[in-house]
Amino acid sequence: MLSVADNGKTIDLRVGHSALLRLPENPSTGYGWTLDADPRLVEIGEKRHVHSADTVGSGGESQWSIKAMAPGTTTLRLKHWREWEGEGSVTERYEVGLVISA
């Protein structure tokens, strides 16, 4: 499992194996994470939000499943922003290097 603590690190994955990425997010603020990755090397599962409480507007975590599809080296890049406001709204960036082996 990958979390905020793994920002800037590099991890090893084998082809066919997966990692779960979990980052804090509160979509009710309009801010959200977007993920950029090389689709030739990894398959990214649909973003899923898990609430930390059952109250309206509560925060929680966004989760993605990252599956290694082919050997190589790549970087997962994420930014926390209001997409419609552009780059000036980025509040945080997250990167994890992946070394994928056969």
Side-chain angles (χ1 to χ4, degrees):
M1 181 171 350
L2 299 170
S3 69
V4 172
D6 297 302
N7 192 9
K9 295 183 180 178
T10 298
I11 65 161
D12 297 317
L13 271 180
R14 295 182 68 80
V15 171
H17 291 191
S18 296
L20 182 65
L21 171 60
R22 299 175 72 167
L23 295 175
E25 182 181 74
N26 186 347
S28 69
T29 64
Y31 285 90
W33 290 100
T34 56
L35 188 152
D36 182 37
D38 187 339
R40 298 170 297 165
L41 299 179
V42 294
E43 179 180 280
I44 307 298
E46 188 173 324
K47 180 179 176 178
R48 182 172 166 247
H49 187 77
V50 178
H51 294 279
S52 58
D54 289 331
T55 56
V56 174
S58 68
E61 292 181 324
S62 284
Q63 301 178 358
W64 299 263
S65 173
I66 317 292
K67 184 175 182 179
M69 302 302 289
T73 302
T74 189
T75 302
L76 300 177
R77 290 183 176 88
L78 294 95
K79 57 186 168 185
H80 187 252
W81 66 332
R82 288 180 169 159
E83 190 171 352
W84 67 91
E85 290 183 355
E87 286 294 319
S89 69
V90 174
T91 62
E92 193 173 351
R93 294 186 187 272
Y94 180 94
E95 288 189 0
V96 169
L98 297 179
V99 177
I100 303 168
S101 58

